[in-house]
Amino acid sequence: NISYLKTPPTISWVTGVNNEGGLIIDYIPVECPDFIHDSFYPWLGVKEDGTPLNLDEYIDSFINSNESVLLLYGEKGQGKSTLLKYLLHKSGNNAMITYQDNIADLDILFSSFMNSEDKILIIEDAETFLTKRESGNSSMRRLLNIADGLTSRKDKKVIFTTNLSSLNHIDDALLRDGRCYDAVKFEVFTKQESENIADVLNINRNLLVKDEYILAELFSINNNKLKRKKLRGNSVVSETRSQTGIGFS
């Protein structure tokens, strides 16, 4: 069950830099996902007794950890942003977020974050920001210094998302123990994982005609099912609402 906060968290959405060199920020309340389930994220690891970590346990563990960095990487359309929305609601933390590489490269972004009341900095689509230093990434050394500085601020976290498919593209130093809490790979679902999600969404398994799915595809099947149900009930359907919750905008 999703717990809705009376006052939803706020995103400080960094959209640019003004003529004085300051950040241009829009403040947006975070909508909690309409629906989220542990089966959507089968990659979150296991506890000491070998049982899978659920979403709430994973979020609590990260927020209370000494490490400052979390990396979410892999397949597009697998619910990274949906997970982040839920994380903000579960933790009750406000966040600063940017999508733009040119802003992420600026020291002003990190200094503004450190001096703000925002507890989490989210840099989405951070492909060029995470690559290896030997590949010409001049920002990585500064990022590593910042990440190390955050270890003394247990209440401040940085989360990167990327569609890169392998950790081989990412600078090893960022993933070092004590600096990075976890690097979670979002993969396509196996047939069994897809069927588990179909059961949660009350989708007939016979509608699954492929061996592999991504979350967005399963929600699309679910949306089409709901649309057909409404049409059979003679309801006027003017718009099919997306339930994937992908993206913050």
Side-chain angles (χ1 to χ4, degrees):
N1 294 330
I2 296 177
S3 299
Y4 292 91
L5 298 175
K6 291 182 178 179
T7 303
T10 299
I11 286 175
S12 302
W13 188 1
V14 180
T15 60
V17 181
N18 59 32
N19 293 332
E20 290 73 38
L23 298 179
I24 301 172
I25 299 177
D26 292 331
Y27 297 95
I28 304 171
V30 182
E31 293 185 2
C32 193
D34 290 333
F35 185 69
I36 195 168
H37 192 268
D38 293 330
S39 64
F40 299 173
Y41 303 97
W43 323 284
L44 297 183
V46 296
K47 294 178 283 190
E48 292 183 357
D49 62 3
T51 58
L53 278 170
N54 63 41
L55 278 169
D56 287 354
E57 291 169 336
Y58 187 86
I59 290 169
D60 288 342
S61 177
F62 168 59
I63 293 299
N64 294 314
S65 70
N66 293 321
E67 294 85 359
S68 58
V69 174
L70 175 63
L71 173 63
L72 309 180
Y73 72 104
E75 195 73 27
K76 185 177 181 180
Q78 278 293 63
K80 300 183 194 76
S81 294
T82 300
L83 174 59
L84 292 179
K85 287 180 181 180
Y86 183 66
L87 182 150
L88 296 181
H89 271 264
K90 176 69 171 62
S91 65
N93 289 323
N94 295 334
M96 183 176 290
I97 182 171
T98 183
Y99 296 86
Q100 301 185 30
D101 294 338
N102 61 331
I103 294 176
D105 277 337
L106 298 178
D107 289 333
I108 184 64
L109 175 70
F110 296 103
S111 62
S112 295
F113 169 62
M114 292 301 294
N115 293 323
S116 73
E117 295 184 0
D118 296 321
K119 300 300 184 184
I120 299 174
L121 174 62
I122 299 170
I123 302 179
E124 291 220 302
D125 301 328
E127 284 81 2
T128 59
F129 200 59
L130 299 172
T131 53
K132 297 177 181 291
R133 283 164 288 180
E134 53 265 35
S135 299
N137 182 4
S138 59
S139 301
M140 180 54 68
R141 188 173 301 278
R142 184 163 67 248
L143 171 60
L144 295 175
N145 290 336
I146 291 166
D148 288 343
L150 288 176
T151 58
S152 63
R153 292 285 308 274
K154 191 176 179 180
D155 61 331
K156 293 276 189 176
K157 306 290 185 182
V158 180
I159 302 175
F160 297 97
T161 74
T162 174
N163 295 327
L164 291 173
S165 60
S166 171
L167 292 180
N168 292 333
H169 303 293
I170 298 171
D171 199 296
D172 294 337
L174 183 65
L175 306 175
R176 193 191 70 190
D177 289 345
R179 179 180 284 151
C180 182
Y181 172 77
D182 198 8
V184 183
K185 184 174 184 179
F186 285 61
E187 304 181 80
V188 295
F189 296 123
T190 64
K191 183 176 179 63
Q192 183 61 61
E193 290 167 345
S194 299
E195 290 177 345
N196 292 341
I197 296 171
D199 292 344
V200 169
L201 296 177
N202 198 26
I203 297 171
N204 189 324
R205 290 189 177 190
N206 292 331
L207 295 176
L208 304 184
V209 296
K210 302 192 302 180
D211 290 333
E212 296 180 336
Y213 280 88
I214 61 173
L215 188 60
E217 291 175 320
L218 293 170
F219 268 103
S220 179
I221 294 172
N222 188 54
N223 289 341
N224 290 335
K225 177 199 71 176
L226 294 175
K227 184 176 180 179
R228 288 194 299 271
K229 184 176 181 180
K230 288 181 180 180
L231 289 172
R232 285 197 297 270
N234 296 320
S235 298
V236 177
V237 180
S238 60
E239 180 181 1
T240 302
R241 182 179 179 183
S242 171
Q243 296 186 35
T244 58
I246 306 300
F248 278 93
S249 58

